[in-house]
Amino acid sequence: MSLPGRVLAAVRAALPASEGGVALHEPEFRGREWTYLKDCLDTGWVSSVGAYVDRIERDLETITGAAHAVATSNGTAALDICLRLAGVKARDEVLVPALTFVATANAVAYQGATPHFVDSEATTLGVDPVRLDAYLHETARLNGDVCVNSRTGAPIRALMVMHVFGHPCDLDGLAEVAARWKLTLVEDAAEGLGSRWNGRHVGNVGLVSALSFNGNKIVTTGGGGAILTNDPELGRRAKHLTTTARVPHKWSFVHDEVGWNYRMPNLNAALGCAQLERLPDMMARKAMLTQRYAEAFRGVEGARLLTARPGAEVNHWLNAVILDRPDMAMRDALLEALNDAGFMARPLWTLMHRLPMYAACPRDALPVAEALEASVINLPSSARLADA
């Protein structure tokens, strides 16, 4: 049997039969979503002021262990403010994985800064700290407390890492590299709610971190995100900046700096509060689905399931199969076979340095990221698929 045939057979063995096709990831509303949304409508509190906005922030602090959570209109808005809080300015550079969703790089561009792309490791799909440190020795120098790109002369202000599909990257190693090179560590934890590294919820190692609650995430608010930080002053400032920098007052409209209208609406927060109540259940059932995939792919020659590395607790947001050998034509043949059979499957994102607006940005050699681009396929991963 061909590799596409073997993979398709494994997916069929893992998933329940469906006449209408199987989506990549569907939201699930089995809790108090309708009750909380009706409460917003009944009381009239539907916009960016309301009890559910405050509540979702407290809930996120409890779940993640972060001292401060600030709810935002989407995950990209959270990333934007994270980089501003990290001190990134125009003409700076920010180290970013080439293997990420475009919002990570876009947030750098919003500051007038330049994304500087670095390679990933095959075990977590996140930034490789060993390769990064070696690359910085080749490319950068310390000028006092500032890391400088020796080739461009630009300050390299921050390192932004991303937890791909909910798999925590090596935060210990990356924090060490960031400290050694005087870089502010920022976590793009958009996909990481519920994931932990060495017992600590992702988003707690970087100075600031961003979550996403888009409709395809493990928990959704429809559209929304959040900023996490353990620094009380940054938590206060994040709240201030995302509420148009308005100075609190009973009736006066005074704004003391340029701010952003990034506050999450109460309607979205209400949906998210109900979703967060069910996060443990959704994670448990998604873990069951991953186990079914693992059993189905055991012995499948030519492909393997992406699994958590030691020390990582994964939220199982999206399952992924990885080809033993990078082969873009074979990857596309697998995607064609799976989608034709009614199983929505997707490749990795196009690597950032291949996009026209980022083609001229500085970058390391990217052999692992490029191999993964030609090897990784996401499989249907909705929690409900574990129920059958």
Side-chain angles (χ1 to χ4, degrees):
M1 186 184 295
S2 67
L3 180 56
R6 295 195 296 273
V7 169
L8 181 55
V11 171
R12 281 184 168 140
L15 298 183
S18 174
E19 294 182 1
V22 182
L24 183 68
H25 197 279
E26 295 176 301
E28 183 177 272
F29 307 117
R30 297 184 179 182
R32 296 187 175 96
E33 288 88 353
W34 286 104
T35 301
Y36 293 169
L37 288 170
K38 186 177 185 301
D39 183 44
C40 291
L41 297 175
D42 288 344
T43 60
W45 293 101
V46 297
S47 192
S48 57
V49 177
Y52 289 105
V53 187
D54 295 330
R55 176 178 162 181
I56 198 171
E57 291 175 339
R58 303 294 81 78
D59 289 350
L60 288 169
E61 289 165 2
T62 299
I63 290 168
T64 66
H68 303 278
V70 176
T72 60
S73 53
N74 54 62
T76 304
L79 285 172
D80 182 10
I81 297 299
C82 280
L83 289 177
R84 294 177 190 277
L85 295 173
V88 175
K89 298 179 176 60
R91 294 179 290 280
D92 284 349
E93 294 179 6
V94 176
L95 298 169
V96 174
L99 194 167
T100 188
F101 180 59
V102 71
T104 314
N106 284 349
V108 178
Y110 298 161
Q111 319 309 314
T114 300
H116 186 150
F117 299 118
V118 295
D119 206 10
S120 298
E121 59 178 3
T123 51
T124 68
L125 310 190
V127 173
D128 183 340
V130 175
R131 175 57 205 163
L132 175 61
D133 189 49
Y135 175 62
L136 288 171
H137 275 98
E138 299 168 4
T139 308
R141 67 179 190 278
L142 285 176
N143 185 1
D145 286 337
V146 179
C147 182
V148 176
N149 185 332
S150 299
R151 299 169 186 173
T152 66
I156 305 176
R157 194 72 61 185
L159 164 63
M160 184 153 60
V161 300
M162 195 260 210
H163 305 295
V164 181
F165 309 147
H167 285 259
C169 55
D170 182 356
L171 285 168
D172 296 334
L174 291 164
E176 289 179 8
V177 174
R180 185 177 304 122
W181 290 95
K182 311 299 182 184
L183 302 167
T184 300
L185 181 62
V186 177
E187 291 180 63
D188 180 348
E191 302 173 359
L193 181 66
S195 296
R196 296 176 180 274
W197 176 251
N198 288 333
R200 193 177 188 186
H201 196 286
V202 299
N204 279 284
V205 176
L207 179 69
V208 283
S209 306
L211 298 173
S212 172
F213 309 119
N214 191 30
N216 66 347
K217 296 300 189 292
I218 189 168
V219 159
T220 183
T221 60
I227 300 161
L228 302 178
T229 183
N230 288 301
D231 184 306
E233 176 55 26
L234 290 182
R236 184 205 65 78
R237 183 149 175 75
K239 179 73 69 69
H240 188 58
L241 290 176
T242 56
T243 51
T244 66
R246 182 182 176 186
V247 179
H249 192 277
K250 288 188 293 184
W251 46 262
S252 179
F253 289 89
V254 175
H255 306 261
D256 59 2
E257 61 181 312
V258 174
W260 287 262
N261 185 17
Y262 280 171
R263 191 77 169 141
M264 180 186 286
N266 202 46
L267 274 171
N268 298 84
L271 182 64
C273 287
Q275 290 268 287
L276 287 173
E277 290 175 351
R278 297 194 54 255
L279 177 61
D281 171 66
M282 286 191 283
M283 287 181 57
R285 287 187 294 124
K286 288 168 73 65
M288 290 170 57
L289 176 62
T290 299
Q291 182 58 37
R292 281 175 29 189
Y293 273 130
E295 292 170 0
F297 274 92
R298 190 172 293 119
V300 173
E301 184 180 353
R304 64 178 177 87
L305 192 71
L306 176 65
T307 56
R309 70 179 295 175
E313 299 173 47
V314 179
N315 65 7
H316 303 284
W317 175 52
L318 285 184
N319 289 288
V321 62
I322 305 178
L323 304 183
D324 288 350
R325 292 185 303 160
D327 186 333
M328 193 70 78
M330 179 57 71
R331 185 205 74 171
D332 290 351
L334 280 165
L335 287 165
E336 193 78 22
L338 288 165
N339 282 279
D340 284 351
F343 299 105
M344 185 179 288
R346 293 291 182 267
L348 278 174
W349 315 280
T350 300
L351 297 182
M352 294 300 99
H353 68 293
R354 302 195 197 280
L355 301 178
M357 62 281 200
Y358 298 130
C361 290
R363 62 182 176 91
D364 188 9
L366 304 167
V368 176
E370 289 175 348
L372 290 169
E373 184 185 31
S375 306
V376 176
I377 293 173
N378 285 127
L379 302 174
S381 299
S382 304
R384 71 167 185 83
L385 296 173
D387 297 341

